[in-house]
Amino acid sequence: MLEFADPRAFFLLPLPVLSYFLLPRQMSAGTALVVPEGVGRHIMAGAATGARGLAGVRLLAPFAVWVLLVTALAGPRALAPQQALPMSGRDLMIALDLSGSMVRDDFTLDGAKATRLDAVKHVGAAFARARAGDRVGLVVFGSEAYVAAAPTFDTDAIARTITELVIGISGRATNISDGLGLSLKRLESSDADTKVVILLSDGANNAGAATPRDVAALAGKMGVRVHTIALGPIALAEAPDQRGVVDVDTLRAMSDLSGGQMFRVRTTDDLRGVAQALDALEPTARAGLSAQTYREYWIWPALLAGALSLWFGLWIRR
């Protein structure tokens, strides 16, 4: 259904008429052309005939142009159908470990060897892209923790950011505490009904002042569920003196303290299974609010007014 963005513009329609009657008229001074009497009578007779034909056009064309311009100014538009945007009422922060051990190539993708980071990029981007309805943010941590992407409903943008991550931007140590702490800070002012952190690490916490368990306990008090993903084929408890092992016990304690779940990942298939399990634990919305968008039609009366003005200007000059 056609409507107008600002129908008050139509109050301008009588402005030319009011101007014609209310503004003082100005007589333009001109020059006289002296011609023989017979020639003068012939010119005046032709002018009178042409004036009768031009009178209607001279009156109606400018008024039509004015009406079209006012109509364009009023902003004709029609409500465009728009699919409802899914809204889950959940804010979800993804915290990814970018420490030096993520370059280990003990995973496979499409039958070829791949680094842990490549596997996380592949599966994590697909997971983020499927979170329609959630407001998703991204935190990366190594020696320090950084917000790589502020919470947004644009899950495609989050997925692209994940695929562009590189080792070294946050240092090569493993600061799980600050990674979770920064995620909680971004959720602190959130008014979402549900707040969730998904934290993935392939190592043991070896940086930061606080302990991961203390920060996880704070998450529980804030009502934030923390799901942890322990990435790596060997656990710290199995080989305490080996480098690049994952601290499964600490990650399990973090999830327990906050009301979340811990997932053990040894292969790329395990990682895909975690993504499916998280979809079941934190389902995305299927319905929500619809956004009102309009198709704007002001350009058509504006173009018609311009064309009519051009035609009228050329016509009266003939």
Side-chain angles (χ1 to χ4, degrees):
M1 181 178 177
L2 191 68
E3 61 180 65
F4 295 93
D6 190 1
R8 293 172 298 179
F10 287 112
F11 286 114
L12 297 174
L13 281 177
L15 187 60
V17 178
L18 295 176
S19 300
Y20 179 80
F21 287 105
L22 298 180
L23 294 180
R25 298 186 181 183
Q26 294 183 354
M27 301 298 293
S28 60
T31 58
L33 176 64
V34 180
V35 297
E37 183 178 352
V39 175
R41 283 197 301 268
H42 179 74
I43 293 175
M44 294 303 295
T49 303
R52 286 193 296 271
L54 286 174
V57 176
R58 289 181 182 276
L59 179 63
L60 293 179
F63 184 71
V65 170
W66 177 250
V67 171
L68 289 170
L69 289 175
V70 170
T71 302
L73 185 62
R77 63 184 184 178
L79 186 64
Q82 185 74 18
Q83 185 177 2
L85 297 175
M87 301 285 287
S88 68
R90 173 173 47 234
D91 278 2
L92 187 150
M93 295 296 299
I94 300 174
L96 296 182
D97 187 345
L98 283 189
S99 60
S101 56
M102 289 291 286
V103 299
R104 291 177 178 266
D105 57 351
D106 47 10
F107 276 71
T108 59
L109 278 176
D110 300 325
K113 268 195 169 186
T115 67
R116 298 176 180 182
L117 181 60
D118 288 335
V120 170
K121 285 182 179 182
H122 181 76
V123 178
F127 172 78
R129 194 174 286 111
R131 303 310 303 173
D134 289 348
R135 186 163 53 186
V136 182
L138 178 65
V139 167
V140 297
F141 61 92
S143 304
E144 306 290 340
Y146 300 95
V147 176
T152 176
F153 288 108
D154 189 354
T155 54
D156 283 336
I158 299 296
R160 287 194 300 270
T161 303
I162 291 175
T163 60
E164 294 168 358
L165 294 176
V166 294
I167 300 296
I169 60 175
S170 56
R172 304 186 71 86
T174 305
N175 193 343
I176 297 175
S177 303
D178 284 5
L180 178 56
L182 185 56
S183 300
L184 295 179
K185 187 174 182 179
R186 295 312 300 253
L187 293 174
E188 185 177 13
S189 59
S190 168
D191 58 356
D193 297 332
T194 305
K195 305 172 188 179
V196 178
V197 175
I198 298 174
L199 184 144
L200 180 146
S201 177
D202 75 331
N205 189 76
N206 54 20
T211 68
R213 295 171 190 253
D214 290 340
V215 183
L218 176 62
K221 293 178 182 178
M222 294 174 58
V224 179
R225 288 195 299 272
V226 180
H227 302 302
T228 57
I229 302 173
L231 182 75
I234 303 176
L236 178 63
E238 300 169 358
D241 298 326
Q242 186 171 328
R243 294 172 60 87
V245 294
V246 58
D247 190 351
V248 175
D249 293 339
T250 295
L251 293 175
R252 180 179 290 109
M254 292 172 65
S255 60
D256 290 342
L257 286 167
S258 60
Q261 291 194 24
M262 192 278 293
F263 300 91
R264 185 75 174 90
V265 172
R266 295 178 177 85
T267 65
T268 306
D269 288 337
D270 289 344
L271 194 56
R272 292 192 181 99
V274 169
Q276 295 174 359
L278 287 171
D279 281 337
L281 284 173
E282 307 291 346
T284 55
R286 298 303 178 206
L289 301 176
S290 59
Q292 285 192 341
T293 59
Y294 293 91
R295 290 193 180 99
E296 305 287 346
Y297 297 110
W298 63 267
I299 187 64
W300 301 112
L303 287 175
L304 188 56
L308 185 57
S309 299
L310 180 62
W311 171 82
F312 180 65
L314 293 175
W315 188 75
I316 63 174
R317 290 174 63 90
R318 289 186 305 172

